[in-house]
Short mmCIF file of all heavy atoms in Angstrom, two decimals:
data_model
loop_
_atom_site.label_atom_id
_atom_site.label_comp_id
_atom_site.label_asym_id
_atom_site.label_seq_id
_atom_site.Cartn_x
_atom_site.Cartn_y
_atom_site.Cartn_z
N VAL R 171 81.33 85.63 152.42
CA VAL R 171 81.68 86.58 151.32
C VAL R 171 81.60 88.04 151.80
O VAL R 171 80.64 88.44 152.48
CB VAL R 171 80.81 86.46 150.05
CG1 VAL R 171 81.26 87.28 149.00
CG2 VAL R 171 80.64 85.00 149.63
N SER R 172 82.68 88.74 151.50
CA SER R 172 82.73 90.20 151.69
C SER R 172 82.80 90.93 150.43
O SER R 172 83.53 90.42 149.48
CB SER R 172 83.93 90.68 152.54
OG SER R 172 83.97 89.89 153.77
N PHE R 173 82.13 91.91 150.32
CA PHE R 173 81.93 92.72 149.04
C PHE R 173 82.35 94.11 149.08
O PHE R 173 81.65 94.91 149.92
CB PHE R 173 80.47 92.54 148.50
CG PHE R 173 80.27 93.03 147.06
CD1 PHE R 173 80.36 92.10 146.03
CD2 PHE R 173 80.05 94.38 146.79
CE1 PHE R 173 80.24 92.51 144.78
CE2 PHE R 173 79.87 94.82 145.55
CZ PHE R 173 79.89 93.80 144.46
N LEU R 174 83.31 94.61 148.42
CA LEU R 174 83.72 95.96 148.37
C LEU R 174 83.23 96.52 147.07
O LEU R 174 83.61 96.12 145.99
CB LEU R 174 85.24 96.07 148.39
CG LEU R 174 85.86 96.56 149.64
CD1 LEU R 174 86.36 95.33 150.49
CD2 LEU R 174 87.02 97.53 149.35
N LEU R 175 82.38 97.55 147.12
CA LEU R 175 81.83 98.06 145.88
C LEU R 175 82.62 99.24 145.42
O LEU R 175 82.92 100.18 146.19
CB LEU R 175 80.29 98.50 146.07
CG LEU R 175 79.69 99.10 144.84
CD1 LEU R 175 79.43 98.04 143.83
CD2 LEU R 175 78.47 99.85 145.26
N PHE R 176 83.06 99.22 144.21
CA PHE R 176 83.77 100.37 143.56
C PHE R 176 82.80 101.28 142.80
O PHE R 176 82.75 101.12 141.58
CB PHE R 176 84.96 99.80 142.75
CG PHE R 176 86.08 99.38 143.54
CD1 PHE R 176 85.96 98.16 144.26
CD2 PHE R 176 87.35 99.95 143.62
CE1 PHE R 176 87.00 97.74 145.09
CE2 PHE R 176 88.35 99.60 144.30
CZ PHE R 176 88.27 98.46 145.10
N ASN R 177 81.91 101.93 143.53
CA ASN R 177 80.80 102.57 142.69
C ASN R 177 81.26 103.72 141.80
O ASN R 177 80.72 103.99 140.82
CB ASN R 177 79.70 102.92 143.74
CG ASN R 177 80.19 103.70 144.84
OD1 ASN R 177 81.27 103.55 145.27
ND2 ASN R 177 79.32 104.46 145.48
N ASP R 178 82.43 104.35 142.32
CA ASP R 178 82.81 105.49 141.38
C ASP R 178 83.61 104.93 140.13
O ASP R 178 83.97 105.77 139.31
CB ASP R 178 83.69 106.52 142.27
CG ASP R 178 84.77 105.78 142.93
OD1 ASP R 178 84.79 104.48 143.01
OD2 ASP R 178 85.72 106.45 143.51
N ALA R 179 84.00 103.68 140.15
CA ALA R 179 84.70 103.17 138.90
C ALA R 179 83.94 102.05 138.31
O ALA R 179 84.51 101.12 137.70
CB ALA R 179 86.08 102.76 139.31
N PHE R 180 82.60 102.01 138.52
CA PHE R 180 81.82 100.89 138.08
C PHE R 180 81.78 100.80 136.50
O PHE R 180 81.83 101.79 135.81
CB PHE R 180 80.43 101.01 138.68
CG PHE R 180 79.78 99.61 138.67
CD1 PHE R 180 80.02 98.79 139.71
CD2 PHE R 180 78.82 99.28 137.77
CE1 PHE R 180 79.40 97.47 139.77
CE2 PHE R 180 78.21 98.06 137.80
CZ PHE R 180 78.52 97.12 138.80
N TRP R 181 81.58 99.57 136.07
CA TRP R 181 81.63 99.23 134.56
C TRP R 181 80.47 98.39 134.24
O TRP R 181 80.12 97.42 134.93
CB TRP R 181 83.02 98.47 134.28
CG TRP R 181 83.13 98.05 132.88
CD1 TRP R 181 83.83 98.81 131.97
CD2 TRP R 181 82.66 96.95 132.21
NE1 TRP R 181 83.79 98.14 130.77
CE2 TRP R 181 83.04 96.98 130.81
CE3 TRP R 181 81.86 95.91 132.64
CZ2 TRP R 181 82.77 96.07 129.88
CZ3 TRP R 181 81.57 94.86 131.66
CH2 TRP R 181 82.03 94.99 130.29
N PRO R 182 79.83 98.61 133.19
CA PRO R 182 80.08 99.66 132.18
C PRO R 182 79.17 100.90 132.35
O PRO R 182 79.01 101.71 131.45
CB PRO R 182 79.69 98.99 130.86
CG PRO R 182 78.58 98.02 131.33
CD PRO R 182 78.78 97.73 132.70
N ILE R 183 78.44 100.97 133.55
CA ILE R 183 77.53 102.17 133.63
C ILE R 183 77.84 102.87 134.96
O ILE R 183 78.62 102.23 135.81
CB ILE R 183 76.08 101.53 133.72
CG1 ILE R 183 75.98 100.47 134.85
CG2 ILE R 183 75.50 101.17 132.40
CD1 ILE R 183 74.78 100.13 135.43
#
Side-chain angles (χ1 to χ4, degrees):
Chain R
V171 188
S172 305
F173 189 95
L174 251 99
L175 180 73
F176 285 69
N177 48 337
D178 52 348
F180 201 79
W181 181 94
I183 48 158

